Amino acid sequence: MKKIIPIGPYHPLQEEPEFFKLYVEEEKVVDIEIEIGYNHRGIEQISTLKHYDQIPFVVERICGICSTSHPFAYVNAVEDLAGIDVPVRAKYIRSIIGELERLHSHFLWLGLAGHFIGYNTIWMWSWKHRENVCDILEVISGNRQHYAMFKVGGVRRDIPNDLVPQIEKMCDGLLSVIDMFRGAIMDDPVIHARLKGVGVLTKEDAIKYCVVGPTARASGIDIDVRRDDPYAAYGEVEFNVPVLYNGDVFDKAVVRILEMYESIKIIKQCLEKLKKEPEGNIETKIDFIPPGEGIGRHEAPRGEVFHYIRSDGSNRPIRHKIRAPSYMNIASNKVAAVGQTIADAAITLAAVDPCYCCTERATVVDLKTNQEILCWDDLVKLSQQKTEKIRKLYE
Amino acid sequence: MGLIKKSLLKSLWVFHLPLSPCNNCDIEILDALTPRYDLERFGIQLVGSIRHADVLLVTGVPNYKNYTKLKYLYEQAPKPCFVVAIGTCACGRGVFKDSFNSPCDVDKIVPVSAYVPGCPPKPEAIIDGIVKLIKSLKT
């Protein structure tokens, strides 16, 4: 008998209102329906009401976790349109902020994934250490979130050279933390048993659903805008793009952990080069934006962000189109979650990191006969019980 | 002071209701509950159901798809239930005032007891807002 489990749209620990309908037969998920739109705020329209210098603040507010990715892609688009060259120092600062954001975003995801499978220690640890990244961002920009660092033609704030050793030291402190998480996840037989083979997204499906970012890289697709189409300082630093081939939740977690090492590597190289540049030269003056169109891309923590700007020569864009990575990644749940048990649904849905957090309310409703209630807490409990069961096997 | 009010002074249970936020206020709420700030040591706890909650933490701007749900959820909450608007969007819609998809302010839909402005407010500011709410209950 087919039953429906609605997940959402309102859940206590969740960050965005989204609505998933799981169709289940017994324990097995047979279909999934995704309804979005609870978060529609009309940013593309608001953006056409603002002038070019105000838009970074608007697009920053698309997403709090990727609050540098959208301004990053936007300034790339406008600079592409107007053919603006950015000072070298500004390029390094941009890359540093972009990578710091990736670090904090991956910490956040790790914590939530840990919570889903009943490893609340990982949750608390990673959120505790995420604060260190927020501290670095606060030292640089004055804000923990919404750094407001980007402007067309450069950055708004400089990183003074005497601040660099302090930031380097803070980054070194993070390395040992990431080592700890790598140990906690990659060396734990229970997590291996719990996450391997769960929520598999094959390479064919990944291509079919156009997934991007870590979700694609865990399925064996070797894409990364930073390397394939270098912008800012990414062409001048060395880093690897970790790619894994199984496409399951475990690989998605490992890809993110490996990426954190690369991020630190990029930040340290940028800081090293930043020291050699003269202070203060952080922006190019722009007199006017010519008519035309431009595109900008950035590899956000979740994948490629794409911005398109069309200008008619006035001080406002006449069209601003935004494509965010989660939009593609969420759709891939359609194949990843189907065929799994309900206990695995929570972690599978969360594995693409759709800014979609924990503990929602969910209800199992029997459509034909009487009603049966299974709340989201039970769903998470089911998931945690499964881990517990596996853990006992290993003892 | 009534018995209900007196019992509210200790360990407020909060329910988190994102309307259409950018996630930041929501992260900061979670930050306030995790080890660095650790609101849970005061008994302030995030609960899974609105029916267990004393305080509704509203973030983000209402839009046409969810503003009726805010009212619906508020009606389900046991009274007295206090609404705290977290962030500039919930306090007065901020930059989204011009949007075609934001019908009205949060306080036009449900009564708001405390406003925590900021984009996003720091965890300290959220804690301060809750403390002020508790203080106002005492008087």
Side-chain angles (χ1 to χ4, degrees):
Chain A
M1 190 194 311
K2 218 188 212 178
K3 293 176 182 175
I4 299 175
I5 303 183
I7 301 179
Y10 284 106
H11 349 81
L13 265 178
Q14 193 216 16
E15 291 167 349
E16 281 173 315
E18 284 163 336
F19 189 37
F20 291 99
K21 247 186 201 171
L22 301 182
Y23 292 85
V24 295
E25 263 166 17
E26 303 287 324
E27 265 281 278
K28 214 171 151 203
V29 179
V30 290
D31 200 4
I32 179 169
E33 215 175 88
I34 302 155
E35 189 186 335
I36 50 178
Y38 290 93
N39 221 334
H40 185 69
R41 284 159 289 163
I43 292 208
E44 289 180 359
Q45 181 253 349
I46 295 173
S47 160
T48 58
L49 305 174
K50 309 277 178 201
H51 63 70
Y52 286 101
D53 221 19
Q54 289 174 324
I55 295 174
F57 297 110
V58 178
V59 291
E60 202 163 58
R61 274 144 188 85
I62 290 173
C63 172
I65 312 175
C66 325
S67 67
T68 274
S69 310
H70 287 284
F72 210 144
Y74 164 76
V75 293
N76 282 348
V78 179
E79 281 155 13
D80 175 42
L81 191 162
I84 301 162
D85 260 340
V86 182
V88 185
R89 193 174 175 87
K91 283 184 179 172
Y92 291 132
I93 296 175
R94 283 182 179 184
S95 288
I96 291 169
I97 300 292
E99 293 311 306
L100 281 173
E101 183 190 73
R102 191 181 319 277
L103 279 173
H104 104 78
S105 173
H106 285 350
F107 269 124
L108 190 142
W109 180 83
L110 265 183
L112 296 175
H115 172 66
F116 270 119
I117 56 169
Y119 274 67
N120 278 339
T121 322
I122 289 187
W123 181 32
M124 288 297 168
W125 274 355
S126 75
W127 279 68
K128 181 179 149 199
H129 294 301
R130 189 184 149 268
E131 291 290 325
N132 299 345
V133 189
C134 288
D135 284 346
I136 303 178
L137 286 164
E138 199 171 356
V139 164
I140 294 174
S141 72
N143 285 332
R144 289 159 47 83
Q145 327 262 357
H146 286 334
Y147 330 111
M149 287 291 278
F150 282 67
K151 73 187 289 185
V152 177
V155 288
R156 275 175 212 281
R157 292 181 204 87
D158 199 359
I159 300 179
N161 278 348
D162 32 326
L163 209 63
V164 170
Q166 192 192 343
I167 300 169
E168 272 174 343
K169 208 174 142 206
M170 286 164 122
C171 287
D172 285 336
L174 285 175
L175 269 178
S176 59
V177 173
I178 305 171
D179 279 338
M180 183 185 77
F181 279 109
R182 194 175 64 167
I185 288 176
M186 287 166 81
D187 300 341
D188 188 337
V190 180
I191 291 190
H192 275 251
R194 180 71 180 82
L195 297 183
K196 277 203 166 161
V198 169
V200 176
L201 184 70
T202 59
K203 192 172 178 181
E204 290 73 44
D205 283 331
I207 293 171
K208 211 162 84 190
Y209 279 84
C210 304
V211 297
V212 286
T215 315
R217 288 195 284 276
S219 296
I221 304 174
D222 191 4
I223 49 164
D224 191 318
V225 186
R226 291 175 295 170
R227 182 201 56 199
D228 302 338
D229 181 13
Y231 52 94
Y234 289 118
E236 297 158 41
V237 291
E238 287 197 1
F239 63 99
N240 303 320
V241 178
V243 179
L244 294 172
Y245 297 93
N246 296 325
D248 51 12
V249 178
F250 185 77
D251 275 11
K252 285 172 190 163
V254 174
V255 159
R256 289 192 172 96
I257 292 175
L258 297 178
E259 266 180 23
M260 283 155 82
Y261 284 109
E262 299 305 322
S263 291
I264 294 212
K265 219 158 98 186
I266 296 173
I267 293 170
K268 292 186 85 172
Q269 289 178 54
C270 286
L271 284 172
E272 203 54 52
K273 291 184 177 175
L274 191 74
K275 277 193 275 191
K276 291 173 193 141
E277 296 293 325
E279 267 185 55
N281 182 22
I282 52 166
E283 62 172 304
T284 311
K285 201 163 179 292
I286 297 151
D287 294 326
F288 104 116
I289 308 278
E293 47 188 14
I295 59 161
R297 305 200 286 172
H298 169 61
E299 183 76 19
R302 288 164 188 76
E304 179 194 332
V305 178
F306 177 90
H307 278 232
Y308 165 84
I309 293 278
R310 187 193 287 164
S311 153
D312 59 353
S314 67
N315 64 344
R316 292 168 186 177
I318 50 171
R319 180 79 176 99
H320 186 183
K321 162 83 187 129
I322 300 160
R323 195 191 73 164
S326 289
Y327 198 73
M328 265 72 63
N329 290 346
I330 289 173
S332 76
N333 283 330
K334 186 123 187 156
V335 279
V338 168
Q340 307 288 321
T341 57
I342 305 176
D344 290 336
I347 184 68
T348 310
L349 293 178
V352 302
D353 193 4
C355 321
Y356 168 89
C357 280
C358 335
T359 354
E360 296 110 300
R361 258 176 340 126
T363 332
V364 174
V365 185
D366 193 330
L367 283 178
K368 281 176 189 153
T369 54
N370 43 1
Q371 290 203 326
E372 182 188 340
I373 305 294
L374 174 68
C375 75
W376 177 254
D377 285 346
D378 295 334
L379 210 62
V380 172
K381 216 179 274 166
L382 259 177
S383 172
Q384 295 179 348
Q385 274 165 2
K386 189 171 169 184
T387 312
E388 205 53 45
K389 233 186 272 166
I390 298 171
R391 195 181 278 154
K392 277 199 187 109
L393 282 179
Y394 276 82
E395 271 164 8
Chain B
M1 194 187 294
L3 185 62
I4 295 176
K5 225 174 195 183
K6 201 173 171 188
S7 64
L8 273 177
L9 295 178
K10 303 264 164 28
S11 64
L12 285 174
W13 282 12
V14 297
F15 179 81
H16 169 211
L17 181 82
L19 279 172
S20 61
C22 71
N23 286 355
N24 252 350
C25 301
D26 316 78
I27 299 171
E28 297 294 46
I29 289 172
L30 292 191
D31 255 349
L33 294 159
T34 44
R36 165 114 25 131
Y37 301 98
D38 203 9
L39 262 183
E40 286 192 3
R41 69 202 143 122
F42 302 121
I44 293 174
Q45 206 190 352
L46 214 54
V47 290
S49 168
I50 185 72
R51 291 178 200 280
H52 301 155
D54 304 312
V55 173
L56 213 56
L57 301 177
V58 181
T59 61
V61 277
N63 69 21
Y64 281 103
K65 197 160 178 173
N66 61 27
Y67 80 111
T68 47
K69 294 185 175 69
L70 170 61
K71 199 172 169 60
Y72 181 59
L73 275 169
Y74 180 74
E75 281 163 2
Q76 287 183 0
K79 304 292 178 303
C81 171
F82 303 100
V83 178
V84 180
I86 307 265
T88 306
C89 295
C91 292
R93 284 192 283 163
V95 72
F96 301 108
K97 211 153 195 149
D98 305 327
S99 169
F100 57 83
N101 202 17
S102 83
C104 57
D105 285 346
V106 169
D107 51 11
K108 298 276 184 327
I109 307 169
V110 292
V112 176
S113 312
Y115 297 87
V116 184
C119 190
K122 287 190 169 188
E124 290 99 324
I126 295 173
I127 295 169
D128 189 43
I130 303 275
V131 167
K132 277 185 180 157
L133 176 71
I134 294 174
K135 273 189 186 153
S136 75
L137 290 179
K138 276 185 185 160
T139 52

